[in-house]
Amino acid sequence: MEKEQYYIAAVDDEFDVRELLHYNLSKAGYNVSTYEKAAEALEDFRESKPDLILTDWLMPGIDGLEFCRILKQTPGIQGIPVIMITCKGDESDISRATDCGVTDYF
């Protein structure tokens, strides 16, 4: 029986972070797509819906919070779990992120 391959999307404006996530998740057996901009990811999610989304908070254009708000209001993708990977770690930051629909926070 073939192992089911999960699709993970990583959205981060930093090239090195995207490369690190892609390398490690691919090596662990996941199908991974990376995106520099949230708008680009949202466009692709119309065709290919990930099983999990990893995102940063501090991104130009659509930041991580707005990205999560859009995800949670978009039919067909609103139920996808979102993990925010960011340097912002105050209690108020975590609270704001979870209020926007973030599933977990690191």
Side-chain angles (χ1 to χ4, degrees), residues 3-77:
K3 178 183 171 186
E4 183 178 353
Q5 192 170 31
Y6 290 99
Y7 168 36
I8 299 176
V11 184
D12 197 300
D13 62 316
E14 293 186 37
F15 176 79
D16 292 341
V17 172
R18 289 192 313 274
E19 288 297 302
L20 182 65
L21 289 170
H22 188 275
Y23 174 80
N24 285 299
L25 292 168
S26 295
K27 190 170 176 129
Y30 297 103
N31 180 19
V32 182
S33 292
T34 61
Y35 302 91
E36 181 178 4
K37 298 178 180 173
E40 177 183 40
L42 289 166
E43 187 68 29
D44 275 4
F45 295 168
R46 292 180 186 189
E47 299 295 322
S48 180
K49 294 170 183 55
D51 296 298
L52 173 68
I53 299 168
L54 306 175
T55 190
D56 186 17
W57 182 326
L58 303 172
M59 297 185 292
I62 300 172
D63 70 16
L65 289 184
E66 184 62 22
F67 180 51
C68 288
R69 282 187 199 102
I70 294 168
L71 288 170
K72 297 307 176 182
Q73 295 173 359
T74 304
I77 59 175

